Amino acid sequence: QVQLVESGGGLVQAGGSLRLSCAASGSIVSINDMGWYRQPPGKQRELVAAITRAGSTNYADSAKGRFTIFRDNVKNTVYLQMNSLKPEDTAVYSCTAQIRRSNYDLARYWGQGTQVTVSS
C-alpha cells in the first residue's frame, strides 16, 4: 500500500509564502515523476508544477517565477515553495506521483489535498 501525505497548507496574506510538502510512504521501489495540482473553488483541477526523478521541472504559466518545485529522492518527498502568493492562488493543492511497487506495478497515486487560502 502506498500513501501520499501532504502538509504545509494554510491561510496567508497576499505577498506571503508557503511551503507544501508531500511524503510518499509504503511499499515503494522507485518514484518517477512527482507533481502538484490545484483546484480553485468552482473550477477544474489544473497542473501547477511537475518534476522528474532527474530533476527536470515544468510549471504552469501562473506559477513561473513565483513557485519552485523540488524533491528529495531519499525521503520520497516533493515540495512546492510558493512565494508572492496572490488571492487567485487560493485552492486545494494535491500532490501526485507515479510510483513503482514492482517490475509489473507502476501506478499514479494522489494525496488527499491541502487547502491554501490567500487573503487580500
Side-chain angles (χ1 to χ4, degrees):
Q1 192 171 359
V2 170
Q3 280 190 315
L4 297 180
V5 179
E6 298 124 333
S7 60
L11 174 64
V12 64
Q13 288 189 331
S17 298
L18 282 175
R19 177 177 291 187
L20 305 182
S21 301
C22 173
S25 63
S27 179
I28 297 172
V29 172
S30 62
I31 302 178
N32 293 344
D33 64 277
M34 304 182 83
W36 290 94
Y37 282 72
R38 69 185 182 186
Q39 186 166 19
K43 297 184 178 180
Q44 290 188 336
R45 186 170 62 185
E46 60 187 16
L47 173 69
V48 178
I51 184 167
T52 67
R53 182 172 180 82
S56 296
T57 57
N58 179 42
Y59 294 93
D61 287 343
S62 60
K64 290 178 181 177
R66 299 187 300 126
F67 295 2
T68 302
I69 187 170
F70 57 102
R71 62 190 283 177
D72 184 328
N73 289 334
V74 174
K75 295 181 178 179
N76 289 336
T77 300
V78 62
Y79 305 89
L80 185 67
Q81 177 67 41
M82 304 186 292
N83 300 328
S84 302
L85 283 162
K86 306 174 182 179
E88 50 264 43
D89 294 318
T90 294
V92 175
Y93 286 70
S94 300
C95 70
T96 182
Q98 189 181 49
I99 296 175
R100 181 173 295 282
R101 298 178 60 199
S102 72
N103 286 341
Y104 307 102
D105 185 345
L106 178 66
R108 180 162 299 282
Y109 294 84
W110 292 85
Q112 79 285 357
T114 185
Q115 177 70 44
V116 171
T117 302
V118 184
S119 62
S120 58

